[in-house]
Amino acid sequence: MKIPILLLFISGLAHGQSSDKEVFHIRYGMTPISPATDRDVVHTIDMNARFPLLVRDKTIVAGGLGYETLWTNHFPLFSGNSVQGISMQGLFNRNLGNNRALLMAGSVGIYSDFKDVSGEDFRYAFGVRYKMKLHEKFTMSYGLGISKQFFGVMVAPFIDFDWAMTSRLRLSGPLPINTRLRYTLSNRGEVMLFIKPDNATYRLSEETYASRYFQRKQWNVGLGFDYLLSRHWLLTIKGGYSLRRKFEIYDASQTGVLSIFTFDLRGGSRTPSYQYEEKALFAEVTLAWIIAKD
């Protein structure tokens, strides 16, 4: 198997999206926050890179490294600090024949304010997908993601698909994790409509903040634009609206929660020591290195 084909797989497994060709990206996002005292902005940056580890007959093993950070200009959302995450990822694909494949991914990382890192700052995640190519224009997968967060366990069942509806219009999943309706404008550009939930936690300092954790929950919808700057460099600009957005801080003892996406099914009677909730606009820009379309 040629390396470009391997890299296509790596991106597809990492994002749950078979048509992605991304090998590396850096992304910046911003959204306003309006507490009672003053207006501010929440900034985010994330980066990710993927690389092959083993290619053997019908089996592929790959790895990845990720970094993310979130901060405000002056509003003490998480006690005046930034929160960050550093992760390692493992990716596995087994071709089962007859247009079927089994895909698995796992990750482990430290997510905290990095004031006094310890074993309690680790988060873990695992996902599995069963992929079927049903038609030249339609690929379907069923999957489940499980993440050990600081509040408990988050479960994300999904259906992943890639449907070329016409030569220009494509609907792709996974539903509802990152569903996109794309329309091709030219060889270089396309527009998209998308919906994407987010549910993430970060541990605060044990010494200063008694190991409280910060939780961000939101559902974003919006419009995006992809533009191919060159054969390998892709620029993506997105903007939209957070239909549901919460920033909360909980005591370390507030655990035992079972959540599906952003909805608590068990243990949802937690009482945050701090809570901020507001719908808001957001914007983000991504620069990615991809496998060339040709």
Side-chain angles (χ1 to χ4, degrees):
M1 179 176 289
K2 296 181 179 179
I3 291 300
I5 301 301
L6 171 60
L7 293 176
L8 290 179
F9 155 70
I10 293 172
S11 177
L13 181 54
H15 283 137
Q17 176 56 45
S18 58
S19 61
D20 282 342
K21 301 182 178 182
E22 181 184 292
V23 178
F24 165 81
H25 80 249
I26 179 169
R27 177 180 299 117
Y28 168 75
M30 61 183 297
T31 183
I33 184 172
S34 303
T37 55
D38 196 8
R39 292 182 62 85
D40 202 351
V41 175
V42 178
H43 305 269
T44 59
I45 291 177
D46 77 81
M47 297 180 285
N48 201 279
R50 305 169 191 93
F51 44 85
L53 295 175
L54 175 68
V55 181
R56 183 174 295 171
D57 297 329
K58 297 181 178 181
T59 301
I60 302 170
V61 180
L65 295 173
Y67 171 78
E68 62 187 65
T69 182
L70 183 151
W71 77 97
T72 61
N73 293 332
H74 52 80
F75 180 59
L77 181 60
F78 19 78
S79 305
N81 302 312
S82 65
V83 289
Q84 303 174 68
I86 299 175
S87 63
M88 296 186 299
Q89 304 140 22
L91 313 171
F92 172 86
N93 177 55
R94 176 69 178 177
N95 187 345
L96 304 177
N98 195 28
N99 292 320
R100 302 289 193 273
L102 178 66
L103 303 96
M104 293 185 289
S107 70
V108 57
I110 299 172
Y111 297 83
S112 76
D113 58 9
F114 281 79
K115 297 299 182 181
D116 45 14
V117 175
S118 68
E120 68 178 7
D121 296 329
F122 281 85
R123 278 180 15 205
Y124 309 89
F126 175 78
V128 59
R129 295 170 53 210
Y130 180 70
K131 180 180 176 181
M132 303 170 290
K133 187 173 183 179
L134 304 178
H135 188 271
E136 282 299 319
K137 296 184 177 181
F138 191 84
T139 300
M140 171 79 70
S141 298
Y142 302 95
L144 177 69
I146 300 175
S147 175
K148 189 272 181 186
Q149 300 278 338
F150 299 128
F151 58 77
V153 176
M154 181 181 69
V155 179
F158 61 87
I159 297 175
D160 187 4
F161 58 93
D162 189 3
W163 179 19
M165 303 171 69
T166 70
S167 60
R168 290 181 177 268
L169 191 63
R170 180 181 296 269
L171 182 64
S172 57
L175 178 70
I177 299 173
N178 188 14
T179 308
R180 292 172 286 183
L181 179 63
R182 296 175 173 268
Y183 183 79
T184 300
L185 300 173
S186 67
N187 290 335
R188 287 183 174 269
E190 65 180 21
V191 294
M192 74 185 86
L193 295 170
F194 66 89
I195 180 170
K196 186 176 182 180
D198 181 37
N199 190 358
T201 51
Y202 302 85
R203 182 75 71 179
L204 300 179
S205 166
E206 178 182 6
E207 179 180 350
T208 308
Y209 305 111
S211 297
R212 293 184 178 93
Y213 61 89
F214 165 71
Q215 183 171 7
R216 176 182 61 175
K217 297 189 291 186
Q218 56 193 25
W219 283 81
N220 292 334
V221 297
L223 179 68
F225 176 69
D226 280 348
Y227 186 76
L228 197 60
L229 300 173
S230 66
R231 186 180 182 188
H232 294 289
W233 288 104
L234 178 68
L235 177 68
T236 302
I237 299 173
K238 290 182 178 180
Y241 194 67
S242 296
L243 299 176
R244 183 175 186 260
R245 187 180 70 163
K246 286 185 178 180
F247 300 134
E248 299 169 320
I249 295 177
Y250 291 94
D251 291 339
S253 60
Q254 299 278 328
T255 60
V257 175
L258 175 63
S259 177
I260 292 185
F261 303 115
T262 63
F263 304 102
D264 296 344
L265 298 185
R266 187 185 68 198
S269 59
R270 294 175 296 163
T271 302
S273 59
Y274 170 83
Q275 183 178 58
Y276 176 84
E277 182 175 3
E278 182 188 33
K279 299 176 181 179
L281 298 172
F282 70 91
E284 66 178 42
V285 57
T286 305
L287 182 64
W289 197 94
I290 66 170
I291 300 301
K293 291 184 178 180
D294 54 354

